[in-house]
Amino acid sequence: MERLKAILLSPAGMKIVNVLFFLTVLIRNNGFIIVAHLVWVLYLVVTIKNTTDKTLKAAYRVMVIYALVIIAANGYFLIHGN
């Protein structure tokens, strides 16, 4: 877990998330979109735990809620078909 946390907090952490989101544009698959958003949620949770700024924490929590809504919607369409 510490290794994952170190990777996400490194400069490469946001690059990984950005590459996954770029790939979701190229690969239009609900499962891949779910994976990209799950990685983003992990990144946001790690960032929330490591920041002291209350405004950033609130903004990141809103983004986590947004990502979870997207995950739920894509999960629904993945299960029930397009």
PDB file of all heavy atoms in Angstrom, residues 30 34 70-82:
ATOM      1  N   ASN A  30     -16.818   0.597 -21.498  1.00  0.00           N
ATOM      2  CA  ASN A  30     -17.295   0.943 -20.159  1.00  0.00           C
ATOM      3  C   ASN A  30     -16.383   0.406 -19.064  1.00  0.00           C
ATOM      4  O   ASN A  30     -16.154   1.072 -18.054  1.00  0.00           O
ATOM      5  CB  ASN A  30     -18.722   0.425 -19.953  1.00  0.00           C
ATOM      6  CG  ASN A  30     -19.739   1.203 -20.748  1.00  0.00           C
ATOM      7  OD1 ASN A  30     -19.495   2.339 -21.121  1.00  0.00           O
ATOM      8  ND2 ASN A  30     -20.869   0.595 -21.020  1.00  0.00           N
ATOM      9  N   ILE A  34     -14.367   2.627 -16.224  1.00  0.00           N
ATOM     10  CA  ILE A  34     -14.477   2.351 -14.790  1.00  0.00           C
ATOM     11  C   ILE A  34     -13.089   2.260 -14.159  1.00  0.00           C
ATOM     12  O   ILE A  34     -12.838   2.843 -13.105  1.00  0.00           O
ATOM     13  CB  ILE A  34     -15.293   1.065 -14.549  1.00  0.00           C
ATOM     14  CG1 ILE A  34     -16.756   1.295 -14.916  1.00  0.00           C
ATOM     15  CG2 ILE A  34     -15.157   0.593 -13.103  1.00  0.00           C
ATOM     16  CD1 ILE A  34     -17.611   0.051 -14.932  1.00  0.00           C
ATOM     17  N   ILE A  70     -19.945   8.512 -12.123  1.00  0.00           N
ATOM     18  CA  ILE A  70     -19.556   8.021 -13.451  1.00  0.00           C
ATOM     19  C   ILE A  70     -19.304   6.519 -13.408  1.00  0.00           C
ATOM     20  O   ILE A  70     -19.710   5.778 -14.315  1.00  0.00           O
ATOM     21  CB  ILE A  70     -18.303   8.772 -13.961  1.00  0.00           C
ATOM     22  CG1 ILE A  70     -18.606  10.256 -14.134  1.00  0.00           C
ATOM     23  CG2 ILE A  70     -17.781   8.163 -15.257  1.00  0.00           C
ATOM     24  CD1 ILE A  70     -19.692  10.564 -15.131  1.00  0.00           C
ATOM     25  N   ILE A  71     -18.651   6.038 -12.352  1.00  0.00           N
ATOM     26  CA  ILE A  71     -18.403   4.602 -12.204  1.00  0.00           C
ATOM     27  C   ILE A  71     -19.720   3.848 -12.111  1.00  0.00           C
ATOM     28  O   ILE A  71     -19.909   2.809 -12.763  1.00  0.00           O
ATOM     29  CB  ILE A  71     -17.520   4.332 -10.963  1.00  0.00           C
ATOM     30  CG1 ILE A  71     -16.100   4.831 -11.213  1.00  0.00           C
ATOM     31  CG2 ILE A  71     -17.517   2.848 -10.606  1.00  0.00           C
ATOM     32  CD1 ILE A  71     -15.233   4.873  -9.969  1.00  0.00           C
ATOM     33  N   ALA A  72     -20.660   4.357 -11.318  1.00  0.00           N
ATOM     34  CA  ALA A  72     -21.960   3.695 -11.172  1.00  0.00           C
ATOM     35  C   ALA A  72     -22.715   3.668 -12.496  1.00  0.00           C
ATOM     36  O   ALA A  72     -23.292   2.636 -12.871  1.00  0.00           O
ATOM     37  CB  ALA A  72     -22.785   4.399 -10.102  1.00  0.00           C
ATOM     38  N   ALA A  73     -22.720   4.776 -13.222  1.00  0.00           N
ATOM     39  CA  ALA A  73     -23.425   4.829 -14.502  1.00  0.00           C
ATOM     40  C   ALA A  73     -22.808   3.863 -15.509  1.00  0.00           C
ATOM     41  O   ALA A  73     -23.529   3.128 -16.193  1.00  0.00           O
ATOM     42  CB  ALA A  73     -23.406   6.260 -15.057  1.00  0.00           C
ATOM     43  N   ASN A  74     -21.487   3.851 -15.604  1.00  0.00           N
ATOM     44  CA  ASN A  74     -20.836   2.948 -16.550  1.00  0.00           C
ATOM     45  C   ASN A  74     -20.976   1.494 -16.112  1.00  0.00           C
ATOM     46  O   ASN A  74     -21.077   0.615 -16.968  1.00  0.00           O
ATOM     47  CB  ASN A  74     -19.367   3.321 -16.720  1.00  0.00           C
ATOM     48  CG  ASN A  74     -19.199   4.453 -17.674  1.00  0.00           C
ATOM     49  OD1 ASN A  74     -19.293   4.284 -18.872  1.00  0.00           O
ATOM     50  ND2 ASN A  74     -18.981   5.647 -17.138  1.00  0.00           N
ATOM     51  N   GLY A  75     -20.998   1.253 -14.814  1.00  0.00           N
ATOM     52  CA  GLY A  75     -21.243  -0.102 -14.326  1.00  0.00           C
ATOM     53  C   GLY A  75     -22.637  -0.587 -14.697  1.00  0.00           C
ATOM     54  O   GLY A  75     -22.820  -1.736 -15.107  1.00  0.00           O
ATOM     55  N   TYR A  76     -23.608   0.300 -14.578  1.00  0.00           N
ATOM     56  CA  TYR A  76     -24.979  -0.034 -14.967  1.00  0.00           C
ATOM     57  C   TYR A  76     -25.040  -0.397 -16.459  1.00  0.00           C
ATOM     58  O   TYR A  76     -25.625  -1.408 -16.829  1.00  0.00           O
ATOM     59  CB  TYR A  76     -25.916   1.142 -14.667  1.00  0.00           C
ATOM     60  CG  TYR A  76     -27.314   0.925 -15.164  1.00  0.00           C
ATOM     61  CD1 TYR A  76     -28.217   0.169 -14.429  1.00  0.00           C
ATOM     62  CD2 TYR A  76     -27.737   1.445 -16.390  1.00  0.00           C
ATOM     63  CE1 TYR A  76     -29.518  -0.046 -14.884  1.00  0.00           C
ATOM     64  CE2 TYR A  76     -29.018   1.240 -16.855  1.00  0.00           C
ATOM     65  CZ  TYR A  76     -29.899   0.488 -16.107  1.00  0.00           C
ATOM     66  OH  TYR A  76     -31.177   0.261 -16.575  1.00  0.00           O
ATOM     67  N   PHE A  77     -24.438   0.445 -17.300  1.00  0.00           N
ATOM     68  CA  PHE A  77     -24.458   0.179 -18.735  1.00  0.00           C
ATOM     69  C   PHE A  77     -23.622  -1.037 -19.107  1.00  0.00           C
ATOM     70  O   PHE A  77     -23.935  -1.725 -20.084  1.00  0.00           O
ATOM     71  CB  PHE A  77     -24.015   1.408 -19.525  1.00  0.00           C
ATOM     72  CG  PHE A  77     -25.020   2.523 -19.494  1.00  0.00           C
ATOM     73  CD1 PHE A  77     -24.693   3.755 -18.961  1.00  0.00           C
ATOM     74  CD2 PHE A  77     -26.312   2.320 -19.962  1.00  0.00           C
ATOM     75  CE1 PHE A  77     -25.623   4.777 -18.928  1.00  0.00           C
ATOM     76  CE2 PHE A  77     -27.255   3.335 -19.920  1.00  0.00           C
ATOM     77  CZ  PHE A  77     -26.912   4.570 -19.398  1.00  0.00           C
ATOM     78  N   LEU A  78     -22.601  -1.324 -18.330  1.00  0.00           N
ATOM     79  CA  LEU A  78     -21.783  -2.510 -18.576  1.00  0.00           C
ATOM     80  C   LEU A  78     -22.592  -3.779 -18.301  1.00  0.00           C
ATOM     81  O   LEU A  78     -22.550  -4.740 -19.047  1.00  0.00           O
ATOM     82  CB  LEU A  78     -20.514  -2.463 -17.714  1.00  0.00           C
ATOM     83  CG  LEU A  78     -19.498  -3.574 -17.926  1.00  0.00           C
ATOM     84  CD1 LEU A  78     -18.893  -3.464 -19.314  1.00  0.00           C
ATOM     85  CD2 LEU A  78     -18.408  -3.500 -16.875  1.00  0.00           C
ATOM     86  N   ILE A  79     -23.375  -3.735 -17.219  1.00  0.00           N
ATOM     87  CA  ILE A  79     -24.181  -4.898 -16.835  1.00  0.00           C
ATOM     88  C   ILE A  79     -25.401  -5.045 -17.727  1.00  0.00           C
ATOM     89  O   ILE A  79     -25.742  -6.149 -18.177  1.00  0.00           O
ATOM     90  CB  ILE A  79     -24.599  -4.778 -15.362  1.00  0.00           C
ATOM     91  CG1 ILE A  79     -23.374  -4.914 -14.461  1.00  0.00           C
ATOM     92  CG2 ILE A  79     -25.645  -5.831 -14.998  1.00  0.00           C
ATOM     93  CD1 ILE A  79     -23.633  -4.577 -13.006  1.00  0.00           C
ATOM     94  N   HIS A  80     -26.087  -3.963 -18.018  1.00  0.00           N
ATOM     95  CA  HIS A  80     -27.345  -4.014 -18.771  1.00  0.00           C
ATOM     96  C   HIS A  80     -27.173  -3.801 -20.268  1.00  0.00           C
ATOM     97  O   HIS A  80     -28.163  -3.773 -20.996  1.00  0.00           O
ATOM     98  CB  HIS A  80     -28.334  -2.981 -18.206  1.00  0.00           C
ATOM     99  CG  HIS A  80     -28.802  -3.336 -16.844  1.00  0.00           C
ATOM    100  ND1 HIS A  80     -28.106  -2.970 -15.720  1.00  0.00           N
ATOM    101  CD2 HIS A  80     -29.873  -4.026 -16.420  1.00  0.00           C
ATOM    102  CE1 HIS A  80     -28.740  -3.421 -14.670  1.00  0.00           C
ATOM    103  NE2 HIS A  80     -29.822  -4.072 -15.053  1.00  0.00           N
ATOM    104  N   GLY A  81     -25.973  -3.625 -20.733  1.00  0.00           N
ATOM    105  CA  GLY A  81     -25.744  -3.426 -22.161  1.00  0.00           C
ATOM    106  C   GLY A  81     -25.985  -1.987 -22.571  1.00  0.00           C
ATOM    107  O   GLY A  81     -26.592  -1.201 -21.858  1.00  0.00           O
ATOM    108  N   ASN A  82     -25.460  -1.631 -23.718  1.00  0.00           N
ATOM    109  CA  ASN A  82     -25.607  -0.253 -24.197  1.00  0.00           C
ATOM    110  C   ASN A  82     -26.954  -0.131 -24.783  1.00  0.00           C
ATOM    111  O   ASN A  82     -27.582   0.456 -25.335  1.00  0.00           O
ATOM    112  CB  ASN A  82     -24.507   0.083 -25.190  1.00  0.00           C
ATOM    113  CG  ASN A  82     -23.141   0.118 -24.503  1.00  0.00           C
ATOM    114  OD1 ASN A  82     -23.085   0.310 -23.298  1.00  0.00           O
ATOM    115  ND2 ASN A  82     -22.108  -0.079 -25.248  1.00  0.00           N
TER     116      ASN A  82
END
